[in-house]
């Protein structure tokens, strides 16, 4: 029995206390560990959960060969050909995308992104639209940091996932959040060939971006503190050729890397399940 929810809304964690299966697994759920002796295993990867951090988990850790995040490689892009003008984005600016839910954005991100915008003067922050009150608060914080409101452009929700993926072509760099990295949002960006700059911390939720970028060989986009994070973004913003080189690398990895191979991921996951069943059978 595999739980995909953790302690998130509408979870069914209670049923695992009845031992509904001989093998009970925590996979993809948040928080990272259930803290429950009823969950036997957690499926992760070596970037997400380094060997030295296993001691903090009540579950036994099983590593996927690369990244623990699954991806649907059948996702298509919209037939619509979007231009920056379709989203009121300036043609001649560096567009920094941050398509996150607003609850992920703390003062730490706002202050860091403000420093980037202040130093990368030809840049615009393209951020997910949000409700009236958080939008007002967010703009006030940016204004207090010397960022004019016209440098923050809100991305309205698109009608389809395909359209959302397609509009990524209008951005230059994706800015990750810190305390809770982008998960599927970061995968979408990479699939759309948009470089993601992440800050990797110590906890499960702060290491997902690092796991994804490590899997496709883009360690230069993984940072360890806000200063380094800002320098990487600013350097890319000021180096068009370097940015093009990274985008070319992502394009190549899309076609060749197992991170984007749903069939291979499925086989690796099934291999884990089959090995666990064999191990359980031996115990009998």
């Amino acid at each position: 029995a595999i739980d995909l929810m953790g302690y998130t809304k509408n979870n069914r964690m209670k049923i695992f206390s009845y031992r509904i299966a001989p093998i009970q697994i925590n996979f993809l759920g948040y928080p990272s560990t259930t803290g429950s002796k009823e969950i036997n295993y957690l499926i992760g990867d070596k970037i997400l959960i380094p060997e030295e951090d296993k001691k903090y988990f009540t579950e036994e850790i099983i590593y996927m060969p690369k990244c623990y995040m699954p991806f649907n490689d059948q996702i298509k892009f919209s037939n619509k050909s979007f231009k920056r003008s379709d989203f009121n984005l300036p043609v001649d600016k560096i567009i920094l995308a941050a398509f996150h839910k607003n609850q992920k954005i703390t003062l730490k991100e706002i202050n860091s992104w403000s420093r980037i915008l202040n130093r990368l003067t030809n840049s615009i922050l393209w951020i997910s639209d949000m409700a009236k009150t958080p939008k007002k608060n967010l703009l006030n914080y940016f204004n207090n940091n010397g960022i004019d409101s016209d440098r923050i452009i809100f991305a309205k929700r698109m009608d389809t996932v395909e359209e959302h993926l397609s509009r990524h072509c209008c951005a230059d760099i994706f800015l990750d959040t810190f305390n809770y990295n982008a998960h599927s949002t970061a995968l979408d960006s990479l699939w759309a060939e948009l470089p993601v700059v992440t800050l990797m911390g110590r906890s499960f939720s702060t290491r997902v971006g690092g796991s994804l970028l490590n899997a496709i060989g883009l360690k230069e986009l993984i940072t360890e503190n806000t200063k380094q994070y800002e320098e990487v973004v600013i350097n890319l913003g000021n180096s068009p050729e370097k940015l093009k080189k990274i985008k070319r690398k992502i394009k190549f990895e899309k076609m060749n890397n197992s991170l984007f191979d749903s069939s291979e991921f499925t086989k690796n996951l099934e291999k884990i399940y089959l090995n666990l069943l064999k191990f359980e059978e031996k115990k009998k």
Side-chain angles (χ1 to χ4, degrees), residues 140-153:
N140 283 339
Y141 283 124
F142 276 112
N143 289 338
N144 290 338
N145 286 338
I147 306 300
D148 292 335
S149 298
D150 60 3
R151 294 187 67 192
I152 314 294
I153 296 178

Side-chain angles (χ1 to χ4, degrees), residues 70-73 191 253-268:
F71 180 70
N72 178 10
D73 60 13
W191 185 242
E253 294 297 332
K254 269 182 67 176
M255 301 298 106
N256 300 280
N257 196 293
S258 60
L259 178 68
F260 300 110
D261 188 334
S262 299
S263 178
E264 184 174 340
F265 184 94
T266 303
K267 288 174 183 175
N268 288 329

Side-chain angles (χ1 to χ4, degrees), residues 45-50 64-68 176 181 186-187 190 196-198 200 207-224 249-250 253 257-260:
D45 62 61
K46 290 188 176 182
I47 300 297
L48 192 73
I49 306 169
M64 287 290 285
K66 245 182 182 176
C67 179
Y68 89 115
D176 204 0
N181 291 167
L187 259 178
L190 294 171
V196 176
V197 179
T198 194
M200 190 160 69
R207 300 180 69 84
V208 176
S211 174
L212 296 170
L213 290 169
N214 181 76
I216 61 171
L218 282 173
K219 293 181 181 179
E220 64 266 40
L221 301 183
I222 303 171
T223 66
E224 296 181 354
K249 185 172 184 179
I250 296 173
E253 294 297 332
N257 196 293
S258 60
L259 178 68
F260 300 110

Side-chain angles (χ1 to χ4, degrees), residues 20-38:
I20 55 172
I23 303 169
Q24 301 193 148
I25 299 171
N26 174 17
F27 180 43
L28 294 177
Y30 183 77
S32 55
T33 180
T34 60
S36 169
K37 62 184 179 181
E38 301 300 338

Side-chain angles (χ1 to χ4, degrees), residues 94 96 107-127 135-154 175 230 234:
I94 299 296
L96 307 172
L107 281 176
K108 191 174 180 182
E109 283 85 0
I110 291 171
N111 291 334
S112 180
W113 295 349
S114 295
R115 288 190 291 269
I116 291 169
L117 290 166
N118 276 319
R119 290 180 58 192
L120 201 59
T121 54
N122 65 330
S123 62
I124 295 289
L125 181 62
W126 192 22
I127 196 167
K135 183 185 288 188
K136 180 183 175 182
N137 291 337
L138 182 128
L139 289 174
N140 283 339
Y141 283 124
F142 276 112
N143 289 338
N144 290 338
N145 286 338
I147 306 300
D148 292 335
S149 298
D150 60 3
R151 294 187 67 192
I152 314 294
I153 296 178
F154 291 93
L175 303 180
E230 292 158 22
I234 292 164

Side-chain angles (χ1 to χ4, degrees), residues 234-251:
I234 292 164
N235 183 260
L236 285 176
N238 286 326
S239 309
E241 286 306 314
K242 187 173 184 180
L243 193 55
K244 285 179 185 177
K245 185 178 178 182
I246 287 175
K247 288 186 176 184
R248 284 196 297 268
K249 185 172 184 179
I250 296 173
K251 187 171 186 175

